[in-house]
Amino acid sequence: MNIAIVCYPTFGGSGVLATELGKALADKGHNIHFITYQQPVRLSGFHANIFYHEVRVPTYPLFDFPPYETALSSMMVDVVNNHNIDLLHVHYAIPHASAAYMAKQILAKDGKRIPVITTLHGTDITLVGKDKTYSPVVTFSMNESDALTAVSQNLKDETLNNFKMERDIEVIHNFVDVQRFNRKPVDAFKKLIAPKGERIIVHASNFRKIKRVEDVVKVFMQLTKTVPSKLLLLGDGPERQHVESLCRDCVLCDDIKFLGKQEQMEDILPIADLFVLTSEYESFGLAALEAMAAAVPVISTNAGGLPEINIDGYCGYMSNVGDIEDMSKNAISILKDDATLQQFKTNALTQAKKFDIANIVPVYEELYKRVIQ
Ligand code: GMT
């Protein structure tokens, strides 16, 4: 199939998932055309079946707000017309679903039918999409999509609760390439971070308020009193400065490292002993799943779709949002002895395998065949 994928090219989970899906489909022989305003972060190297089309938004003195959505629709029309595209798969509803609707209408005028699949990822529904600034357009374009998918049951329920839906939503969970993440930790790297054999705690996010990164630091401060540990904070975003200054002011400053945005998560995660995700909401929590695939247990909140991937007392623990005491207690119980930690690590990997790329990508392929027919 010739498939056009539209996504955000940044470090956000929706862009990561869309890019990994495109790469996996290309490996299976499909031709994949990415349409974004920047090369997606996880898209590097040459692949004979992958094409990248950059959306440029020309500036003009009249435009206080350059019309990205219009440029995106025009690019979709151009790519469909010139590359024999069979379907458009857009990730994150705003503004991709409405831009796709517009492209579809333009193409229909020329007698070309192009099916549109919209995949909902989270904040496009729960935070931004349901705001009345956007909701009429989001509702309309979701209902007009030829197929609508959500990355978790929770996100499907949120969508049905918050929008007037006239069509079904199919749940297709996010996936991870377990083989890529399940690597042997590099001992030299581990020694560099934890020279005295301390436990290594990792958090990765875009440092938005919704992630409550401050809670990660608070959990770390509690647990390290009992279990000597080091904390690695990966990613960057609006809250980083605040969290960084908080860390600088505390006695544990030397035990906390900010590594910034990282493309090669599979090189870092295997050295971790625990992944901490304290979000107020996660539709899914792809970062946690990638950690599990690297055999890292997860301490998370029980918000949104997290209970669909984390299993309490098996591959990690879940607590109520903001319950630092409970999260610290659970973290200590996993880290306190090697045998328990090893069991949780094994379980994390077993759990991640349920979401392996090999199980999920064919589900998308089936959906594609259905909408094309
Ligand atoms: O978490 C973010 O802020 C980024 C966001 C995005 O849209 O890129 O992530 C959402 O989509 C991911 C991939 O489906 C999910 O794993 C995240 O849980 C979801 N984030 C939220 O729901 C807050």
Side-chain angles (χ1 to χ4, degrees):
M1 285 180 258
N2 297 325
I3 302 156
I5 293 183
V6 181
C7 65
Y8 282 101
T10 50
F11 279 87
S14 63
V16 167
L17 194 279
T19 311
E20 298 295 353
L21 175 61
K23 291 193 309 194
L25 290 165
D27 283 341
K28 295 182 101 177
H30 302 289
N31 290 312
I32 304 301
H33 293 259
F34 284 101
I35 305 178
T36 67
Y37 57 82
Q38 226 174 59
Q39 170 121 349
V41 285
R42 291 254 180 123
L43 190 67
S44 54
F46 172 76
H47 194 302
N49 300 350
I50 296 183
F51 307 88
Y52 161 57
H53 307 269
E54 189 163 300
V55 181
R56 292 210 179 81
V57 192
T59 52
Y60 182 67
L62 187 67
F63 299 157
D64 279 339
F65 303 99
Y68 175 67
E69 191 173 335
T70 306
L72 178 60
S73 295
S74 299
M75 181 59 93
M76 289 183 197
V77 171
D78 184 76
V79 173
V80 169
N81 276 331
N82 290 297
H83 298 277
N84 209 15
I85 296 296
D86 297 306
L87 68 97
L88 280 166
H89 187 176
V90 305
H91 291 259
Y92 204 94
I94 307 168
H96 303 151
S98 46
Y101 173 77
M102 175 63 94
K104 183 176 164 158
Q105 296 309 312
I106 295 167
L107 290 157
K109 277 267 180 210
D110 290 335
K112 195 171 263 178
R113 178 190 172 261
I114 183 86
V116 172
I117 297 175
T118 300
T119 291
L120 308 173
H121 279 273
T123 46
D124 45 352
I125 294 302
T126 54
L127 205 70
V128 199
K130 70 181 183 196
D131 189 286
K132 72 177 192 310
T133 325
Y134 299 112
S135 72
V137 175
V138 175
T139 310
F140 176 80
S141 46
M142 284 194 295
N143 281 324
E144 287 296 321
S145 297
D146 295 278
L148 189 60
T149 75
V151 298
S152 64
Q153 181 60 43
N154 172 269
L155 185 58
K156 173 177 175 170
D157 297 341
E158 286 290 327
T159 311
L160 294 174
N161 290 338
N162 288 292
F163 296 84
K164 207 161 163 263
M165 294 309 297
E166 292 162 3
R167 61 159 317 108
D168 188 31
I169 304 170
E170 206 168 311
V171 175
I172 304 181
H173 282 122
N174 284 334
F175 61 82
V176 64
D177 183 351
V178 172
Q179 238 187 346
R180 195 171 104 208
F181 283 85
N182 183 24
R183 291 189 184 178
K184 225 176 113 19
V186 177
D187 280 342
F189 179 29
K190 211 172 164 147
K191 271 232 154 62
L192 197 75
I193 304 293
K196 294 184 187 145
E198 297 94 336
R199 303 290 195 206
I200 299 176
I201 319 298
V202 168
H203 166 81
S205 74
N206 53 20
F207 280 65
R208 299 242 160 84
K209 266 212 159 14
I210 199 167
K211 306 289 175 181
R212 297 180 63 104
V213 186
E214 224 180 293
D215 286 1
V216 177
V217 177
K218 287 180 188 163
V219 170
F220 175 72
M221 284 171 172
Q222 287 288 332
L223 81 88
T224 203
K225 285 181 197 161
T226 312
V227 182
S229 306
K230 300 283 183 182
L231 175 62
L232 298 182
L233 293 164
L234 282 78
D236 209 332
E239 290 296 299
R240 173 166 170 182
Q241 228 186 349
H242 166 66
V243 179
E244 208 163 357
S245 61
L246 192 104
C247 292
R248 280 191 193 127
D249 293 344
C250 85
V251 283
L252 297 170
C253 178
D254 290 342
D255 297 321
I256 305 172
K257 284 198 166 47
F258 288 78
L259 299 190
K261 291 179 180 173
Q262 296 288 334
E263 282 172 34
Q264 301 298 117
M265 291 297 286
E266 63 270 34
D267 291 337
I268 301 169
L269 287 170
I271 69 156
D273 296 303
L274 192 70
F275 188 85
V276 182
L277 193 61
T278 49
S279 308
E280 199 169 311
Y281 180 81
E282 284 297 336
S283 68
F284 183 88
L286 186 59
L289 180 63
E290 290 189 339
M292 287 184 205
V296 183
V298 171
I299 288 292
S300 74
T301 55
N302 51 15
L306 284 167
E308 290 171 54
I309 58 166
N310 196 2
I311 301 178
D312 210 47
Y314 176 71
C315 53
Y317 283 102
M318 288 182 291
S319 309
N320 291 332
V321 174
D323 193 342
I324 309 296
E325 281 308 314
D326 197 52
M327 288 188 240
S328 317
K329 184 189 91 211
N330 290 336
I332 292 166
S333 80
I334 295 177
L335 298 169
K336 64 178 191 300
D337 64 79
D338 288 347
T340 310
L341 176 59
Q342 194 46 53
Q343 187 58 58
F344 271 85
K345 281 182 176 239
T346 306
N347 296 350
L349 180 58
T350 306
Q351 174 65 356
K353 284 179 180 166
K354 291 185 190 157
F355 299 88
D356 187 48
I357 193 164
N359 302 329
I360 312 282
V361 172
V363 182
Y364 277 113
E365 282 178 295
E366 277 309 311
L367 175 66
Y368 293 168
K369 281 184 208 152
R370 252 189 290 140
V371 295
I372 288 173
Q373 274 161 20

